[in-house]
Amino acid sequence: MNKHIGSLLSSYLTRRKPISKSPIFRSFGQNHLFTSSTSHSQSDQVITCKAAVCWGLGEAVKVEEIEVEPPKSSEVRVKMLYASLCHTDISCCSGVLGPLFPRVLGHEGVGMVESVGENVRGLKEGDLVIPAYVGECGNCSNCRSGKTNLCLKHPLTLHGLMPDGTSRMSIRGQSLYHFFSCSTWSEYMVSNANYLVKIDTRTPLSDATFLSCGFSTGYGAAWKAAKVENGSTVAVLGLGAVGLGVLEGARSQGAATIIGIDTNQRKRERGKAFGMTDFINPSNSNKTISELVLELTGGEGVDYSFECAGIHSLTNQMLQATKGGRGTLMVIGVVDKPSLDIDFLTLLLGRTIKGCIFGGIKSQTDIPLLVNKCINKEIRLENLLTHEIRLEDLEKAFELLKQPDCVKALIKI
């Protein structure tokens, strides 16, 4: 896929309000070289731009004109280039992560630093960055433990505001909530610098977008959270971007058997591209998912199962599909209920249930490693891309997700 970066720059210069000089960047096929020019960023001015706003529970997302304030201390304003659609964004419209409205959605994306506030270190105007909703200070007890990616100094935020409790976005005088630490479905966004990751400018922009949540969550769940071992057996329920990430992560860890489970038969070939060895379509059988997995594994079950679909009623099935005494279920998919019903005996027989945020990925330490894998073609994220749309046509993306061949829709900002 060939991105015409020159046209992005032209759009950047013509749509930005106020207009100021910008870093220049060129495209050589999928590789992008950014070179900074002398510029005087008007970082103290409000920018008027387009953004996708959700006004209330169940309401359609509307592209509106909003105002984005300049960055304050430790903050960065980013000109978004591309974003993508994740099922978590849809869940947000339904209030699963808190009924905070009106809200600018989007948490996957890639952009260019437009301006920086005071006390920002390591980022400058023109840098290519992706948002990460989990920060990493490297010094707190959690960061030092090696057991979790949940930083205590820069935690996951669900209140829809900046760390100081205020918003940097508004519409017609009314404050807008952010989504996590960002809001990527906007031409401009402001984020605390600790939730941005500077990436190599050779990174294909679509790859960078997909690394900012879904695929990395799945890949990390196998790599960092579950720590899948060489020669182990794995089952993955739900072969969207997260599930395909689990397949790739399990393959990179050396898993011997990687079972993909999905009712969409078209996911069979796509799953093979990411390392799947066996495929189960539960709709083709009267047996339960756990029974089908047990059949494929000689009655033992798998070492690791991953629930990536967010289907509350199938959690027990995926737990029962693991080995007694040492099987582990990783719960990744966002469900629409606040609690789960777990079969006590299944759990009592030595199985483990574990959850993770962002797949256990540490933003500053691990994302650059995944970026390098993409640059070196060790991971082929172009296999995720099925549709492309413009921000103005965002409503179409929600319909695209319902299509059986849709995995990831790339949004040109």
Side-chain angles (χ1 to χ4, degrees), residues 311-331:
I311 302 176
H312 177 276
S313 60
L314 296 181
T315 304
N316 274 315
Q317 287 292 312
M318 293 305 291
L319 182 62
Q320 291 164 0
T322 65
K323 293 178 179 178
R326 56 194 176 98
T328 297
L329 164 63
M330 294 296 307
V331 179

Side-chain angles (χ1 to χ4, degrees), residues 74-90:
S74 301
E75 296 176 359
V76 175
R77 187 159 60 187
V78 178
K79 162 59 184 153
M80 295 306 300
L81 301 174
Y82 284 89
S84 52
L85 182 63
C86 176
H87 281 279
T88 305
D89 298 304
I90 298 176

